[in-house]
Amino acid sequence: MPASPVKLIFDTDMGNDVDDAVALAIIHALQNRNACELLAVTLTCPHPLAPEYVAAVNTFYGRPGIPIGINTDSPSVLKPKRQFLQIAHHKNPDGSLAFPYTWDASKAPRAVDLLRRTLAAADDNSIVIAQVGFSCNLAALLDTKPDAISPLNGRDLAAKKIRFLSIMAGDFSEPKEGVKKVVEFNIRHDVPAARKLADEWPTPIIWGGFEVGNAVCYPAFGIENDFGYVPSHPVRESYQSYIPTPHERPCWDPISALYAIWPDRPYYERTPKGRVTVTPEGHTTFAEQPEGRDYCLKLDVVHAASLREIISTLASEPPKTK
């Protein structure tokens, strides 16, 4: 009997890097296969075009009704020269939107409220969250109090409803002599939230570190050749707008999204149980502990080559409605 689709929340800083767009395309492709059901998208990019862009992509894939939560207090770090969110406003020669969608900013829910509503409506231990941006939404969820949505506080609600959290954050690579490790992007721009998540999150966390995504780059030939089933495709246009081919972008976020839906596939390995610590400076360390909450993803060259092909195949899969 087929497994039930994974009930998924996608928490993303859409707009800061194009790998978020690739991850969202993969989620839609896997929903086409009944592997998952995308219940909500919550944003940790405050740009007003971020929810419009997500609405446009969701509509392109035939799912315009997926709720989108915003966080106007999340870190603002967009790179103007690598802006792809404006694709939501691209128009055809006749003046119509290239990627039609509807969005009413006045009715947009706050991300933390949408998280509470989605969790409260779910069966116990049924939700998986893929967090591929900053930790501010989930850190804020932990601090929420009982309300009209749920009699549970945020920590207890997460513990009751969430199976695990698949997160793209941190850098767990081995130190190299004479090379100073930088603080990974998703940690660096909101260290307090990342520390709170690492210290207080109540469910298992699978950490996909910088080194994991860095080992798998999206093939440029795939961007150039695999999206021709439509005249204009949001993933291809976004990628070429961000950094055009022959650049090959690392697949940090797609790997964490893929793991959230397909955790048992033989595309990656996990460390034994342990505990991740985020230092006040934002550096991440992992220590094995038999009773630990955390795991870190690991890849070898064979896994990396497989994931490169799997990610590009899924991301370019046509929508059911096209």
Side-chain angles (χ1 to χ4, degrees):
M1 182 176 179
S4 299
V6 171
K7 306 298 184 182
L8 182 70
I9 297 172
F10 185 49
D11 189 69
T12 168
D13 63 330
M14 185 68 74
N16 290 331
D17 199 308
V18 78
D19 63 328
D20 296 74
V22 174
L24 183 55
I26 287 171
I27 290 168
H28 280 291
L30 290 175
Q31 185 156 338
N32 289 348
R33 300 171 181 221
N34 202 40
C36 68
E37 180 184 358
L38 181 57
L39 301 179
V41 178
T42 49
L43 292 168
T44 56
C45 174
H47 196 286
L49 278 179
E52 294 191 41
Y53 178 89
V54 172
V57 173
N58 289 346
T59 303
F60 176 85
Y61 282 96
R63 301 184 179 98
I66 296 170
I68 302 166
I70 63 172
N71 183 346
T72 56
D73 296 322
S74 53
S76 180
V77 295
L78 282 180
K79 302 177 180 70
K81 292 184 178 179
R82 296 183 181 178
Q83 179 61 268
F84 64 86
L85 295 178
Q86 78 280 356
I87 287 168
H89 287 180
H90 278 191
K91 293 185 178 179
N92 297 314
D94 64 2
S96 62
L97 286 173
F99 306 110
Y101 66 98
T102 58
W103 174 253
D104 186 345
S106 68
K107 297 180 180 178
R110 292 171 59 243
V112 70
D113 292 337
L114 180 56
L115 286 168
R116 284 187 62 84
R117 285 206 307 270
T118 306
L119 294 177
D123 292 336
D124 292 354
N125 197 41
S126 66
I127 299 290
V128 175
I129 298 181
Q131 180 194 296
V132 298
F134 310 126
S135 295
C136 47
N137 285 342
L138 299 191
L141 172 67
L142 292 174
D143 281 341
T144 57
K145 300 184 183 305
D147 56 13
I149 297 172
S150 170
L152 300 177
N153 64 38
R155 190 188 187 283
D156 291 345
L157 185 60
K160 186 177 179 66
K161 301 293 186 173
I162 296 170
R163 285 169 48 207
F164 68 88
L165 169 61
S166 178
I167 178 174
M168 191 281 119
D171 182 349
F172 304 96
S173 59
E174 293 294 327
K176 295 181 180 179
E177 187 175 352
V179 178
K180 184 179 179 180
K181 287 180 70 171
V182 299
V183 177
E184 187 272 322
F185 181 89
N186 286 345
I187 301 285
R188 181 170 74 245
H189 290 289
D190 198 340
V191 174
R195 297 192 76 205
K196 183 177 182 65
L197 187 84
D199 290 346
E200 300 180 21
W201 189 255
T203 78
I205 305 178
I206 293 80
W207 298 76
F210 176 82
E211 74 285 356
V212 172
N214 222 32
V216 182
C217 291
Y218 199 104
F221 66 80
I223 293 295
E224 294 168 351
N225 297 299
D226 292 349
F227 295 89
Y229 50 83
V230 286
S232 187
H233 193 291
V235 172
R236 181 182 59 202
E237 308 310 322
S238 299
Y239 194 103
Q240 297 292 33
S241 178
Y242 188 74
I243 304 178
T245 54
H247 173 75
E248 296 194 335
R249 196 74 188 144
C251 292
W252 301 291
D253 296 353
I255 291 172
S256 287
L258 191 66
Y259 185 89
I261 301 166
W262 277 350
D264 299 324
R265 299 288 174 119
Y267 307 141
Y268 12 61
E269 295 179 0
R270 296 190 323 191
T271 62
K273 283 184 178 181
R275 192 77 185 195
V276 168
T277 300
V278 181
T279 70
E281 298 75 29
H283 293 288
T284 48
T285 60
F286 173 79
E288 289 188 21
Q289 296 178 6
E291 303 303 318
R293 173 203 62 192
D294 301 323
Y295 304 85
C296 290
L297 293 182
K298 300 190 300 180
L299 296 181
D300 57 24
V301 292
V302 175
H303 289 126
S306 296
L307 279 172
R308 176 176 162 94
E309 182 65 24
I310 291 159
I311 286 170
S312 63
T313 299
L314 288 172
S316 60
E317 189 169 287
K320 277 189 173 181
T321 57
K322 298 294 178 184

